[in-house]
Amino acid sequence: MSDVLKTIKVEKILICTISRPEVMNALNKEVLNSLKDLFEKARENNEIRGIILTGEGEKAFVAGADIKEFSSYGPMEAYKMSEKGQEIFSLIENFPKPVIAAVNGYALGGGCELALSCHIRIASKNAKFGQPEVNLGIIPGYGGTQRLPRIIGLGRAIELILTGKMIDSEEAFRIGLVNKVVEQNELIEESKKILNQIIEKAPIAIEMALNSIISGIEMTKEEGLKLERSNFANLFSTEDMKEGVSAFIEKRKPNFKGK
Ligand code: COA
C-alpha cells in the first residue's frame, strides 16, 4: 500500500482509492507506479477476484495527469510518460479479473482514460467526464484516442476530444460511456453489488469472457471468432464447467472452485 493509493479488501473485492485530494487526485508518477504494482500483485492473488477503482473525496475521481509535471517536459519525456501510462492502462484493460471504475466526481483527461481502461464504469450523479487536453495544446496520451471511440463510437469520440468539453453523468450514460448512474453515497455499494454478481460465476469463464471480448475487439471478425471458439472449447476441460452443468441438471446452486 502507498500513501497515494489506499486499499481495503472486502471479502474477495479489493477497493483501491487514488488519494491526492489536494490536486483532485491527479495522476503523477507515484500514482502510476503504485497502480502498476497493485495490478501486478493482484493478478497473482487468488484471494482477490475483482477490483474497484475510485478517487478520494466527493469531488474528483481523477482530474487527469498531473499538469504541474508537464512544465519541464520536452518530446522525449512526453513520449516516455505516454508509453508508461499506456502500458499501465493496458495492464488494467487486460486484467483477467473484472475491474470497475467507481467514478465519484471529475474524470478528466487521464482520469477519463483510466475509467475507459476499466471493464465497467459506474458514476455518481455529480461525475463529469471529458478529454480537455486540447485546451493545453496536447491530445490524450493514455489511450483515450483509441479506447473512447471503441466505447462510445467514432463521431461522439471525435466531438469530445476535439472540443475538450465536459459532459455530466446523465449525458455519459446516454452515450454509453457509463453503465449506470447512482447517488454518491451508493456508488461503492452498487459497484460491489455488480462485482459480487460476477464473482459468484466460474472465475475461469469470467477470465475467458474478458479475454474473448477485449482481445477479440482488436481482431478481424474471423480471428475473433477463432479466439472465442478456442476459449469456449478450453472451458470444457474445467471442473467448474462440469460442476455448472451438473448443478443445472440437479436443480441446485453451483459451487465453483476456479479449476
Ligand atoms: N494536475 C495538477 N493539478 C491539478 C489538476 C491536474 N490535472 N487538476 C486540478 N489540480 C489542482 C489545481 O491546480 C488546484 O491546485 P491549487 O489549489 O494548488 O491551485 C487544485 O487541484 C484544485 O483545483 P481547482 O482548479 O482549484 O478546482 P475547481 O473545482 O475550480 O476545478 C477542475 C476543478 C477539475 C475542473 C479543474 O481543476 C481542472 O480543469 N483541472 C484540470 C483538468 C485537465 O485539464 N486534465 C487533463 C490533464 S492532461
Side-chain angles (χ1 to χ4, degrees):
M1 181 143 71
S2 83
D3 288 348
V4 293
L5 196 60
K6 297 181 178 159
T7 55
I8 327 174
K9 192 162 162 293
V10 184
E11 292 168 5
K12 304 228 160 194
I13 296 174
L14 191 69
I15 304 174
C16 309
T17 306
I18 296 171
S19 182
R20 296 185 74 217
E22 66 290 353
V23 287
M24 304 268 164
N25 303 321
L27 300 172
N28 63 359
K29 282 185 193 146
E30 193 186 353
V31 178
L32 287 177
N33 287 334
S34 305
L35 278 171
K36 182 167 190 261
D37 194 44
L38 180 133
F39 276 88
E40 283 172 349
K41 288 191 178 128
R43 196 186 170 99
E44 306 308 323
N45 186 341
N46 289 336
E47 290 303 305
I48 297 170
R49 299 272 301 278
I51 293 186
I52 295 173
L53 270 185
T54 192
E56 180 89 50
E58 298 197 345
K59 215 167 165 194
F61 171 67
V62 167
D66 193 323
I67 301 172
K68 288 159 195 163
E69 282 186 349
F70 289 0
S71 36
S72 61
Y73 283 8
M76 275 298 285
E77 291 83 3
Y79 187 91
K80 283 195 187 130
M81 174 196 164
S82 173
E83 187 173 46
K84 184 171 186 166
Q86 288 179 354
E87 181 208 330
I88 296 164
F89 287 16
S90 291
L91 186 72
I92 298 173
E93 184 177 47
N94 294 312
F95 198 63
K97 313 173 201 192
V99 184
I100 295 189
V103 181
N104 55 308
Y106 290 113
L108 302 176
C112 188
E113 291 169 295
L114 178 61
L116 292 170
S117 71
C118 298
H119 303 132
I120 294 174
R121 284 156 292 283
I122 309 297
S124 58
K125 280 195 175 155
N126 65 317
K128 291 211 163 49
F129 295 80
Q131 296 289 165
E133 288 85 351
V134 288
N135 296 325
L136 303 171
I138 55 173
I139 63 168
Y142 289 164
T145 64
Q146 303 307 302
R147 291 196 181 95
L148 193 61
R150 281 169 168 80
I151 292 173
I152 65 169
L154 196 59
R156 287 184 170 126
I158 289 177
E159 185 187 346
L160 274 182
I161 292 172
L162 268 52
T163 61
K165 73 176 181 184
M166 249 193 257
I167 57 169
D168 63 18
S169 55
E170 202 181 304
E171 175 73 352
F173 177 72
R174 199 183 64 78
I175 65 174
L177 179 52
V178 300
N179 299 65
K180 192 166 184 178
V181 180
V182 296
E183 295 292 339
Q184 173 84 248
N185 62 3
E186 292 166 7
L187 184 61
I188 299 299
E189 272 320 300
E190 184 60 32
S191 305
K192 273 166 45 188
K193 197 167 126 195
I194 296 171
L195 262 190
N196 278 323
Q197 260 178 331
I198 301 172
I199 282 171
E200 68 180 26
K201 314 290 186 260
I204 310 173
I206 296 302
E207 180 178 345
M208 291 302 106
L210 278 173
N211 173 264
S212 304
I213 299 165
I214 302 285
S215 300
I217 204 154
E218 305 304 330
M219 298 174 175
T220 63
K221 193 168 79 181
E222 273 319 307
E223 287 165 346
L225 289 171
K226 195 170 160 196
L227 174 67
E228 181 189 81
R229 68 180 177 266
S230 57
N231 282 339
F232 177 78
N234 286 337
L235 286 164
F236 279 69
S237 67
T238 63
E239 286 178 27
D240 281 350
M241 175 268 171
K242 290 177 182 65
E243 167 63 9
V245 172
S246 306
F248 175 80
I249 294 167
E250 292 159 20
K251 298 189 188 298
R252 61 174 174 83
K253 250 187 107 161
N255 177 18
F256 293 124
K257 301 215 165 71
K259 289 182 187 165

